[in-house]
Every structure is written in C-alpha cells, then in structure tokens.
Amino acid sequence: MTEILSPVSAPAPQKPWRHRRRDWRQAAIMTSMSLFGAWLIVVTTGLAGVLGAYVAFAIVFPIVAFLASLPYGQKTGQDRMATAVICLAFSTAFIPWVSILFTVMNKGRHAFYSGFLTTDMLVNSADDPLNVGGISHAIVGTLILISIASLIAIPLGVIAAIYIVEVKGRFAGYVRFFTQAMSGVPSIVAGLFIYTTIVVVVFNRFNALAGGLALAILMLPTVARTSEEVLKLVPDDLRAASYAMGASQFSTVFRIVLPTIRSGLITASILGVARVAGETAPLLLTSQYFVKFTTNITSGPIAALPTYIFANLGVGSANSVTRAWGGSAVLLSIVFILFILARLLGGRNIGSKR
Amino acid sequence: MSTPEQREIIIRRGRADTIFRGVIASGAMLSLVVLALIAGFLLFRGLEVFKDFGFSFLTGTQWDAGSGDASAPAHFGIAAMLIGSIVTAVIALIVAVPFAIAVSLFLEYYAPQFIRKPLTAILDLVAAIPSVIYGIWGYAILMPKAAGWAKSLNSWFDWIWIFKVPAPIFDRSPFIAGLLLALMVLPITTSVAREVYSQAPRDQIDAAYGLGGTKWGGIRTVVMPFGRSGLVGGAMLGLGRALGETIAVYLVLNLVFKVNFQILASAGGNVASLIATRFGEATPYELKALMAAGLVLFLVTLAVNAAATYIVSRSRTSA
Amino acid sequence: MSISLQGTIGRGEFERALNFSVADGEVLAITGPNGSGKSTIIHTIAGLISLRSGQLQSDNITWDEPSTRIWVAPENRTCAVVFQDLRLFPHMNVIANVSYGLRAHGVAKDEAMTRSSVALTRVGLSSFEKRRPNDLSGGERQRVALARALVVEPRVLLLDEPLSAVDASSRAAIRDLLPEVLSSFAGATILVTHDLGDVEAMATRSLGL
C-alpha cells in the first residue's frame, strides 16, 4: 500500500518580493506628501519655476521617506532615505546634460538653411541674416586639423602602447606614467608651447600645421591608453605560437598582434579624435580663425568649428549667436557620431575613462 | 601563462628585432620628451619675467603691461589668478564629488541591471562634450539661472563671509564658473569612483546585508571605506581638469586682478583664461609673462595629475 | 644527438627533473597523467619558457643553459611545434598560416607559397588554401597545424597531444596520416600524448612521467 500525501497541507505559493497593493498605496501617499511639502516651500520661499519646485521636492522627499519608514525601525528609515537621496541625486545630475543637448539642438536648428553646410563666411559678416553664409570653412578646417593631429598622434600612441605591452621595455612604467600625466596638460598650455616653438620660430605665422600639432599633444594620451587596453586583450598563446614558428617579435607584432585587434585600434583612434575635435583654446593660439574656405596648411590662419563658435559668440549680435549655436549643433553631432562609431566597432568597455 | 620568462642576458636576438625594439622605445620616449620640451620652452621664454619679478610673480596680484617706458612700468603677478583657479576648482569639487558618489553608487548598486550598461555608456558620451559647448550653454542657460540662485544664497546666508558681495551683481562669478566646472568634471570623477566601488568585496557586502543590516548599511560600512582612496584619486583627476579648463571658464567668469574669496561676487581669477584673454593683444614682454604663467599652470596641473594617477593606480592594484 | 635535455623544467609552482635525448629519425613518446609537465617540456624546448637549471642542446648547440646565461630566442631554434590547442592565426587564411613561418625566416614570397602548397598537399588539404581556420573542421585544422610545422623543415618536431582537438570521426584519418608523415620525417620527433594507442602506432621509444 502506498501512502498518498494529502495535497491540502501544501501552502498557497506566496510572492513576498512582489510589490503589494499596500506598497503602492504607501508610495503614493509618500509622493503626494512630498509634493505638498514642496508646494509649501515654493509658496513660502523664493524658489520659483519648475526647477525650484524640483529642488523643493528633492529636499522634502528623502525626509518623508525617512519618516514614513520609521515604524520599521531607524535603520530601515536611514536605508530608505539613502535610497531616495541617491536616486534623486542621479536624476538631478542628468538634468544639465539633457538641457545641453536640448538647447544646442533647439537653438542650433534656427541657423540651418540649405547653404549652411556648404558656404563660408568670406563675403558675409557674422550678424548678416541667417539665410546667407555658412560653416563649410569651419568643417573643412576641423577635418584638416584632425587629420594632421591623427597622422602624428595615432602612430605615436600605438607605439607607446606597443612599448608598454609588447616590448615591455625597461622604462615601460615611466612611459605609462608620463603618457597619463600628459593627459592632464591643460589645452591652453599645449597651445602656448606650439605657439612659442612652431608658430614663432618655424613658420612665423599662424597655420593649420601648428594647430594640428597642438591637438596631437592632447590626442596622444587617449590613443595610447586605449591601445594599451586593447593590446592586453590579445591572448599570449597567439604570440607564443608565432614565436614558436620562428617569427621575430617584429613580425609577431605587425603580422599577428596588430591585425587581430584592428577594430580596437580604430576605436582608439576615433576616441582620440573625439577628444580633440572640440578643443578651442589651443587653436586660438596656433591656427586662430579665418572666415575663408582654405585648404592650405602652412600659409596662414584656418577656421575650425570650435573657433567658429567662439568667434561668432564673441560678436554678440542675435544672428551671430544663433550661428554659434548652429556650429555647436554640428560639432556636437560630429563628436557623438564618432563616439557611437567607436562603441560599435570596439564593443565592450573600451573607451570608458579618460 | 606561457610568456617567455625574462633572463638577464638574452643572446642571439635577431637584428630586425634589435632595430624594432629600438624604434619602438625611442617612439615611446617621445611623450617624455614632449613634456620636458613644454616645461623647457615655457621656462626659456618666461625666464626674463621670472628674473625681473622673482618670487613676487607668484605673490603679486597686479597684472599690468605698463606703457612701455619708465613712467608706467609693467607689473606682473599671478596670485589673484592662481588663487582664483583654485577657488573655482574647489567649488567644482565640492559640488561634483557628492554627485559623483551618488551617481556611481546608483549605477553600481541601485540601478536595475538592464539600464546599467546604457547609463554608463551615456556617462562616457557626455564626457566627450566639447568644452566650448559647455561654455556656450553655461553662458546662455546656466548663468541667468545660477545668478538667481546666487542671489537667494546671498539673501539667506549673508552672515557667512564668503557669501557676502560688495555689489549686488551676481553674473560671471566664481560660483557660476565652479558650477559649470562641476558639471564638466563629473563624468571623469564618477567613472573612477564607479570602477573602484565595483571592486568592493561582494562577500563582505553580503555579510553586512545578511547580519540584519540594510543595503545602505552595507554600502556605508564596506563599500565607502573600500573606495575612499579611489574616490580621492578620481576627485584629483577632476581637480586637474578643472584647473586647466580655459574656454568654458572664460565665457562665464569675470577676470579681476584682486584676490577674492567672496564666491558670489562678479570677480574671479583663472590662469588659463588669463592667457586666452591677454594673448591677442599682449606686448612682447607681456607675452613672456604669459609664458611664465603657463609654466606655473603646467607644473601645478602636472603635480595634481601625477598624484591622482598614482593614487588611482594604487587603489586599482590593491583591489 | 638531435636534441637532448638534462635538467629541471618548471612553470610556476611546478618543477621536475628530466634527462633524455632523441636522435634523428626517432619518435619519442612522452606519456603521463595531467599535470605531469608534458606540455611544459614542449614549451621549454620551443623556447617559450626557460629551464630552471641544467642544459638543453640541439645538434651540439646549446639552446638554454641558465648557469652560463645562454638562451637562444625561439625564432632561432630549429624546431617546430604543433600546439595542443593548435593556435592557428584567426585573421589569416590557410596558406598564409602555413607560409607564415617561412616568411618569418626570410624565405621569398613565391618560394614560400610553393613550399606551403606542397606541405598542404602532403597533409591532404590541397584545395583549402583560401579558407579561414574558423571555417574548417577540427580534423582539417589539425592538418593545417601539422603542415605549418612541417613546412619550415625543422630538425626537431614537437607534437603536443596531436589528436586531442580532433573529433572522433576524423581521428582515424589523422591516425593514418601521422605515422606516414613521421616515418618520412628526417629529424627527431617528440610526441606528447596520453593515449597508449598513439604510442604503439607511432613511437619508436617512450618515456613515462
């Protein structure tokens, strides 16, 4: 005879982790109490507008959260309050960035007309109506400056990374340390340095070559750091196999290691470009600004998007400021597209930090 | 695992490799050379000013190119600008560090799993916003708002000395520049803090949690002490950025050649902005003074960054 | 003696004293349980790790002798390895993988290609030249690795578990191929395996660890 367990004794399944109706009710009460408190603060103090109301809410909500959970003990109260503070701080931190994106795109769109991207400012002044003139000279200038900087900084950055990871030379620690220290060189100082050397001594005039060199100084650390991270991802087994087949380190690096991380190196380069595409201060001291479309890299000043924005902002009239916003929209789009491109190519976490 | 172990003497390395290693090594040394050249050239160009003014170049507050003859001699001292740079950078850190802690804790311990990666990516993305765009936004959007906040601060906390103002003008103050810089250094500080916090020992957090503690209890007793040195390193990296920032500060700060600690007043100093402002119309002698100022800025930021790099790398390896 | 090792090999915590030599035309099978240092022997002879003490010689040339600080870089050792995990280069096609060693030794491109084709034909992969390693079956990849080692005409051939990466269906074919290739190979061969069947089929001598 077999015993049959009575199914009646099994308890009904519970889901204690589910938010129960009481939780929702409690949350609703807390929120409305906080809103009420916030309203009181806005009415009685000088805080005004949507932002003021938000600030008041951000002050009241954690306190209400603390008080509401006090019946569960002081520790729970602190925990709830910490959660509220952290979540609020997080959302607060993103307000300015959303505002930057929104403002740039919103104000920038007024500068756009059919010829905005294809004409320069040679025959127009900055406060002319917004249906003449454009930023072709600045876009081309930025491309030229970035190309010069890339041609110098990308090979040198990769070489520094190879020295640290592959050659493992005696000074690898120093090279890594100083390359990182270089990332802290203020951009204006890089500009000053190139000014006293290249602009004053070599050419005796402002030009694109000097601007590109200044950008290269700022770009090198980013490329070196990202390349180093990518190189470290190559499995040692692959290098060992190459050595065992009689390959020298030279051909191991150039024919095995670098080809396997091609996309990672492209990512490193793009991140370097994104880092310097928006630099303004060093360009003011090296390539300056010029209203005409030009592709000559040694003959004289050349425009770039950041200096275009800066110059038009400096004019200060309504139309010139709108032009500056238009330039900002283009510059921001370029930087974001580059960054997203780098992400897609590199995958994973390449490109976080510095 | 299977890398060749290093020997003191390795014989019969091929000639191609000797050349290869030599070329790579000399290429890699270039970053050291460039750093040395920057310091060397700025010192060389600014030497005359250092000689003429000596220590008072660092302690003086006057910046006056003079008329070029004996009747009105030039006076160059960067104390006001240097202290101004430090004041704005410190304001930036005071604002940014709490937010960096909160944002990194949120990303690491509070956010639902599926939004962590996108949010981290967004944080890296905003770190790439060019400073001129921060500048134009700070000038057009932040400054009018922040001037209003400054006014309220002033009316409520008038009795604290640093919140006093000599005249009721709240535009272009160190406070506003500091807020803008806080926003600019937040991504880097947050990303360092997040990396350190993510390495906090999970089993200890779980232990704190399991012994009747709360999530916040675990974070306070395990995560925060663990990440303290990393946070300091991240904050110092932010400090280095804030000290060297030029264009954004230039657009939202009124340069006044007087040491000023009243952060809401429309008068501040900033070495980088000084260089950008004066460069265009500088006399040859003033240009030398700007080079000297650039050297001081370079050395200060280099020291801050070197210390930060050291602290961050140490907190990484100890984890 | 084509290759002789007398000394202590080691990697990390692991260490083991050894003394053996292999003459031209011989196939020495090294057998033993996991962790007995079979792969470490191969890697030490190839120069990927160094001896702890003692001496490694080939054709009376010292490759590795810690006491005198003599160490010959892997690229200058006249040996070739078939790794346990093969380690084909994923970004190169089959012929590029095989010719890589020749090119590294400075053989002209045309000659390297011709010799590689011959080596591929010898292992039965003549029509696979343009394929990528990732498109091949385990048995085919094994053959590429073998061709890659043979093409440089080494004095010493090092085989590390040559049948472990092969699925059961193509194992028989490789088992037929290997003794045939080894019998026509003039230099010394060291075969690491845990399969006693392999030892009987191919080895002239065996060394148990």
Side-chain angles (χ1 to χ4, degrees):
Chain A
M1 251 188 52
T2 50
E3 236 178 298
I4 297 168
L5 285 171
S6 158
V8 189
S9 64
Q14 288 189 341
K15 294 176 179 171
W17 59 88
R18 264 261 183 91
H19 288 296
R20 276 166 301 168
R21 188 172 287 167
R22 214 185 62 181
D23 291 343
W24 291 117
R25 201 188 308 146
Q26 205 175 15
I29 291 172
M30 268 168 57
T31 314
S32 45
M33 275 176 66
S34 311
L35 286 174
F36 178 71
W39 178 75
L40 272 182
I41 290 183
V42 169
V43 169
T44 53
T45 66
L47 287 170
V50 180
L51 212 57
Y54 179 80
V55 170
F57 177 75
I59 294 169
V60 175
F61 187 73
I63 300 172
V64 172
F66 177 69
L67 294 176
S69 46
L70 264 188
Y72 304 97
Q74 197 182 343
K75 267 189 179 168
T76 315
Q78 283 173 356
D79 183 53
R80 293 279 171 84
M81 188 157 134
T83 308
V85 167
I86 286 170
C87 294
L88 277 169
F90 175 79
S91 47
T92 309
F94 271 80
I95 292 175
W97 286 316
V98 172
S99 166
I100 289 176
L101 279 186
F102 174 78
T103 317
V104 167
M105 294 307 164
N106 188 41
K107 295 204 176 216
R109 80 191 149 89
H110 297 298
F112 278 83
Y113 77 103
S114 58
F116 186 62
L117 297 176
T118 51
T119 38
D120 65 11
M121 294 294 287
L122 180 62
V123 294
N124 305 109
S125 80
D127 42 7
D128 274 352
L130 291 170
N131 57 2
V132 290
I135 58 168
S136 68
H137 59 310
I139 294 177
V140 169
T142 285
L143 290 181
I144 290 172
L145 288 166
I146 285 175
S147 309
I148 295 170
S150 303
L151 281 177
I152 299 160
I154 293 172
L156 287 177
V158 175
I159 282 177
I162 291 175
Y163 183 76
I164 295 169
V165 181
E166 299 292 328
V167 174
K168 293 193 179 76
R170 196 179 309 168
F171 304 106
Y174 295 98
V175 169
R176 180 198 272 128
F177 186 82
F178 281 104
T179 318
Q180 281 327 296
M182 210 169 154
S183 73
V185 172
S187 56
I188 189 108
V189 170
L192 264 184
F193 168 63
I194 295 297
Y195 173 77
T196 65
T197 51
I198 308 296
V199 176
V200 173
V201 179
V202 181
F203 292 104
N204 203 20
R205 60 163 74 89
F206 297 108
N207 62 29
L209 202 55
L213 282 168
L215 294 186
I217 293 179
L218 302 168
M219 189 172 170
L220 178 71
T222 309
V223 178
R225 158 130 202 142
T226 318
S227 309
E228 186 194 330
E229 279 172 15
V230 180
L231 275 176
K232 281 182 180 158
L233 297 178
V234 177
D236 269 342
D237 290 354
L238 220 53
R239 293 187 185 97
S242 174
Y243 290 135
M245 288 179 64
S248 61
Q249 189 168 32
F250 174 78
S251 60
T252 303
V253 169
F254 281 95
R255 295 200 53 207
I256 305 296
V257 175
L258 293 185
T260 48
I261 53 162
R262 201 180 318 143
S263 69
L265 293 178
I266 294 172
T267 299
S269 311
I270 295 176
L271 286 174
V273 169
R275 160 82 180 79
V276 299
E279 278 297 344
T280 319
L283 297 185
L284 294 176
L285 277 58
T286 51
S287 62
Q288 288 236 313
Y289 175 67
F290 191 43
V291 291
K292 185 181 178 305
F293 183 101
T294 173
T295 52
N296 194 319
I297 62 165
T298 55
S299 67
I302 189 168
L305 278 168
T307 46
Y308 170 89
I309 297 167
F310 189 71
N312 278 281
L313 201 59
V315 172
S317 73
N319 281 348
S320 74
V321 171
T322 305
R323 283 181 204 281
W325 284 111
S328 303
V330 173
L331 177 60
L332 199 59
S333 310
I334 291 176
V335 169
F336 278 9
I337 288 169
L338 284 174
F339 203 86
I340 291 165
L341 217 60
R343 278 269 167 180
L344 292 182
L345 277 170
R348 298 211 330 116
N349 293 324
I350 295 162
S352 52
K353 302 177 309 275
R354 267 151 290 208
Chain B
M1 188 183 121
S2 41
T3 32
E5 286 169 30
Q6 291 286 319
R7 267 302 159 67
E8 274 181 80
I9 292 175
I10 294 172
I11 59 153
R12 291 183 59 184
R13 195 177 271 289
R15 177 183 294 171
D17 268 3
T18 315
I19 298 170
F20 163 75
R21 292 171 75 93
V23 168
I24 294 288
S26 40
M29 295 302 161
L30 207 72
S31 59
L32 279 72
V33 173
V34 168
L35 283 178
L37 279 180
I38 291 177
F41 262 92
L42 294 181
L43 181 65
F44 171 65
R45 299 280 176 190
L47 199 57
E48 193 185 335
V49 174
F50 281 125
K51 266 191 193 148
D52 289 355
F53 294 96
F55 206 61
S56 75
F57 183 73
L58 288 180
T59 56
T61 60
Q62 221 182 341
W63 190 276
D64 185 357
S67 63
D69 53 41
S71 65
H75 280 289
F76 295 121
I78 58 163
M81 296 295 114
L82 197 56
I83 290 171
S85 285
I86 294 168
V87 167
T88 45
V90 167
I91 295 171
L93 284 194
I94 290 173
V95 176
V97 167
F99 277 103
I101 295 173
V103 171
S104 48
L105 285 179
F106 180 82
L107 286 174
E108 210 51 51
Y109 296 103
Y110 286 90
Q113 200 67 45
F114 69 98
I115 58 166
R116 280 183 197 183
K117 271 196 171 166
L119 285 178
T120 314
I122 289 174
L123 206 62
D124 291 337
L125 187 70
V126 296
I129 296 177
S131 58
V132 69
I133 287 177
Y134 276 108
I136 186 174
W137 176 84
Y139 178 79
I141 307 295
L142 177 69
M143 195 154 73
K145 285 229 180 326
W149 304 339
K151 200 172 170 185
S152 321
L153 265 180
N154 174 256
S155 63
W156 284 84
F157 298 104
D158 203 17
W159 42 277
I160 303 175
W161 183 73
I162 58 166
F163 292 133
K164 279 196 170 82
V165 286
I169 303 167
F170 297 99
D171 270 350
R172 300 170 73 86
S173 64
F175 171 70
I176 295 172
L179 284 186
L180 189 57
L181 285 176
L183 194 56
M184 297 177 73
V185 301
L186 187 53
I188 173 101
T189 309
T190 304
S191 98
V192 174
R194 194 182 63 79
E195 192 186 336
V196 183
Y197 285 157
S198 72
Q199 289 166 349
R202 280 278 164 182
D203 47 347
Q204 284 184 36
I205 303 170
D206 291 346
Y209 216 159
L211 291 171
T214 55
K215 187 185 234 176
W216 172 243
I219 287 173
R220 210 188 38 168
T221 53
V222 179
V223 180
M224 303 275 267
F226 179 87
R228 193 170 296 141
S229 73
L231 185 68
V232 170
M236 285 185 70
L237 275 180
L239 183 69
R241 287 284 154 87
L243 285 172
E245 180 49 47
T246 314
I247 285 299
V249 175
Y250 176 97
L251 289 169
V252 297
L253 184 65
N254 193 18
L255 292 190
V256 171
F257 296 100
K258 188 173 132 283
V259 176
N260 173 29
F261 289 104
Q262 296 179 333
I263 58 172
L264 301 181
S266 177
N270 189 277
V271 180
S273 299
L274 169 80
I275 297 170
T277 317
R278 303 295 307 164
F279 178 80
E281 55 215 53
T283 62
Y285 189 56
E286 185 176 4
L287 208 51
K288 286 178 181 163
L290 291 178
M291 299 288 167
L295 179 65
V296 173
L297 179 64
F298 174 67
L299 293 179
V300 170
T301 49
L302 198 64
V304 169
N305 267 292
T309 310
Y310 176 73
I311 294 172
V312 171
S313 68
R314 213 184 43 172
S315 74
R316 268 196 198 122
T317 49
S318 74
Chain C
M1 281 299 143
S2 186
I3 185 93
S4 74
L5 189 158
Q6 181 179 13
T8 313
I9 59 166
R11 171 187 283 173
E13 298 284 297
F14 170 80
E15 232 177 50
R16 183 175 199 119
L18 281 168
N19 185 358
F20 65 83
S21 56
V22 191
D24 284 344
E26 267 195 309
V27 179
L28 174 70
I30 298 180
T31 56
N34 286 336
S36 56
K38 295 182 304 236
S39 289
T40 309
I41 296 175
I42 297 279
H43 288 201
T44 305
I45 295 173
L48 302 177
I49 41 181
S50 51
L51 275 175
R52 290 278 161 88
S53 66
Q55 191 189 42
L56 171 70
Q57 276 194 332
S58 171
D59 296 331
N60 295 322
I61 298 168
T62 302
W63 279 359
D64 193 353
E65 189 172 13
S67 60
T68 56
R69 288 188 182 164
I70 290 173
W71 188 77
V72 176
E75 65 262 32
N76 294 319
R77 300 189 183 192
T78 49
C79 63
V81 192
V82 174
F83 289 97
Q84 185 171 7
D85 51 0
L86 304 186
R87 301 185 189 179
L88 300 179
F89 304 128
H91 63 288
M92 295 178 169
N93 63 23
V94 166
I95 189 88
N97 260 290
V98 175
S99 62
Y100 179 80
L102 288 173
R103 300 282 293 139
H105 281 113
V107 176
K109 187 164 188 185
D110 291 344
E111 193 194 334
M113 287 299 162
T114 321
R115 280 167 66 179
S116 303
S117 289
V118 172
L120 278 174
T121 312
R122 196 165 151 203
V123 297
L125 286 180
S126 50
S127 61
F128 286 69
E129 296 189 353
K130 299 291 174 208
R131 303 265 293 267
R132 297 258 168 175
N134 289 345
D135 303 333
L136 303 179
S137 73
E140 287 158 354
R141 268 182 243 162
Q142 186 68 55
R143 287 164 194 254
V144 175
L146 190 60
R148 194 171 75 159
L150 288 171
V151 75
V152 294
E153 294 173 2
R155 295 279 295 124
V156 182
L157 183 62
L158 307 166
L159 304 173
D160 193 353
E161 300 277 7
L163 289 167
S164 66
V166 181
D167 45 295
S169 56
S170 43
R171 184 164 294 175
I174 304 271
R175 263 223 177 104
D176 290 340
L177 174 72
L178 260 179
E180 183 194 320
V181 167
L182 290 184
S183 63
S184 63
F185 177 65
T189 306
I190 295 178
L191 166 71
V192 161
T193 180
H194 64 271
D195 189 332
L196 292 177
D198 292 349
V199 179
E200 257 176 43
M202 293 174 250
T204 56
R205 223 150 45 87
S206 79
L207 172 69
L209 294 182

